[in-house]
Amino acid sequence: LARQQSDNLDAAVVLIKASHKAVVLAHINPDGDTLGSALGLALGLRQLGKEAEVFCADTLPENLAFLPAYGEIRTQGPLPPDVDLVVLVDASDISRFGTLSQGSEGFCARAACLNVDHHTTNGRFAAVNLVDPTAAATGEQIFALLGALGVDIDPAIATCLLTAVVTDTRGFRTASTTPRTLAIAAQLHAKGAPLADIVQSVYYNRPFTTLRLWGLALERLRCRDGVAWTEITLAMQAQVGATPSEGDGVIDLMASLRQVTAVALFRETPEGIKVSLRSTDGFDVSAVAARFGGGGHPRAAGCFIPGGLAAAEDKVLQYLAERAAAP
Ligand SMILES: [Mn+2]
């Protein structure tokens, strides 16, 4: 596996060196890892004299507005027609790029296509796939890639990549955090990434409406047979005036529960139900998410179920109970 990964790194370097005009795509429902990785890579590519733009077909989180070049992110397609490299970061599946992935067979046929990702469920959909499930964040992989390209990690790139690592490890608290994660974070900090400012912006910068929404969600918290769950409805969001992404932190609060096997958050959208899953040791929620067409990591995964809230809860909770009871 290590051999294959270094071969892929060499292939990625060859692809990038041959390119002149790149686009880097971040996934929908963007987080610090996808945006930090995409921006860090784009800044590195520009340092090598290439044109590089970041696209993300979704609303961008305001608490990441401190990221260098955040204001240049394009939130709508189409991609420029003369692009010769497309890099897809932090997503296991091409549909995670939303409207940008429509006609994606087209852009992958026309341009060199590179996927950099750390999800175990990655479908290896690009010509070259840098997939490393042992990386705590895609930002770790981008750090290695920029190193292989000979890019000088300046304070702007360091800020992007440290934000990626801090957010995906929830402040170095996940089991995915390794000595390598911490070593990379230390190097990024030394290169000028302001760790305290990043933590402040990401974790201590919440709108009043966010905590009001969390309060409503926690009021509905239930637990049965080691599985805790709650929901956020459109009516709850309207009641406090919160946007859909303000419910994002609820799953982390739920994961702090003791003596549970798994936790599930069900969020109502006009199209159906977004399900977020987290688990404690040994229980693989990515398999549960995959059963419903989603994916993720063994301890953090998600899926989308068309239809109403009650039906989605019944299906997922029943399947979770079955998996949890299995030897
Ligand atoms: Mn990630």
Side-chain angles (χ1 to χ4, degrees), residues 7-90:
D7 287 353
N8 287 353
L9 186 62
D10 292 346
V13 167
V14 168
L15 270 194
I16 290 172
K17 286 200 165 156
S19 73
H20 300 93
K21 183 164 182 172
V23 289
V24 186
L25 309 193
H27 63 70
I28 54 171
N29 194 15
D31 57 18
D33 191 24
T34 198
L35 292 181
S37 293
L39 289 168
L41 177 59
L43 293 174
L45 295 178
R46 287 179 194 172
Q47 199 191 95
L48 297 174
K50 301 173 189 307
E51 283 183 60
E53 274 194 297
V54 174
F55 280 75
C56 176
D58 206 344
T59 308
L60 304 179
E62 276 175 41
N63 67 347
L64 296 174
F66 68 89
L67 284 171
Y70 173 96
E72 297 171 35
I73 300 171
R74 311 240 323 238
T75 54
Q76 272 180 357
L79 304 180
D82 54 342
V83 158
D84 59 9
L85 174 66
V86 178
V87 189
L88 306 128
V89 296
D90 195 36

Side-chain angles (χ1 to χ4, degrees), residues 27 31 33-34 90 117-119 136-139 164 168 297:
H27 63 70
D31 57 18
D33 191 24
T34 198
D90 195 36
D117 181 41
H118 64 134
H119 293 88
T138 299
D168 256 27
H297 307 285

